[in-house]
Amino acid sequence: MINVNVKNGELTEEEIKAYVARAHELYPGKAIESIDLTLDGDYVDVDYHFAAVPFQRIRRITGYLVGTLDRFNDAKRSEVQDRVKHSIAS
């Protein structure tokens, strides 16, 4: 259910449904939390608010792109512990 906020006037239920349908056309696959509709004469400003997208951090460790070390065997875990971290001298 998308929360629709109408400011500076009123819209019919049919108009609100049209704006929601248009949002789904413009952003397929995105979770829309709310829509702010601000009326200004003949114009309507539309602001979409999307749900946060979870992501996983990916790092390059010992030649592999990984998110976590849980699938590494003992040898790879040992490699990770023996790594030398470099820094830039200032």
Side-chain angles (χ1 to χ4, degrees), residues 35-54:
I35 301 173
D36 292 336
L37 303 172
T38 305
L39 305 177
D40 184 18
D42 292 336
Y43 300 97
V44 177
D45 292 327
V46 183
D47 290 320
Y48 303 103
H49 302 278
F50 302 100
V53 178

Side-chain angles (χ1 to χ4, degrees), residues 34-87:
S34 65
I35 301 173
D36 292 336
L37 303 172
T38 305
L39 305 177
D40 184 18
D42 292 336
Y43 300 97
V44 177
D45 292 327
V46 183
D47 290 320
Y48 303 103
H49 302 278
F50 302 100
V53 178
F55 67 95
Q56 181 181 19
R57 179 179 168 194
I58 301 294
R59 301 176 288 167
R60 184 181 177 104
I61 299 175
T62 66
Y64 295 92
L65 294 175
V66 297
T68 63
L69 305 178
D70 60 343
R71 296 188 65 187
F72 275 14
N73 61 23
D74 292 338
K76 276 293 175 196
R77 288 179 197 268
S78 176
E79 249 184 85
V80 170
Q81 286 180 339
D82 295 342
R83 282 191 324 164
V84 176
K85 294 186 180 182
H86 301 281
S87 63

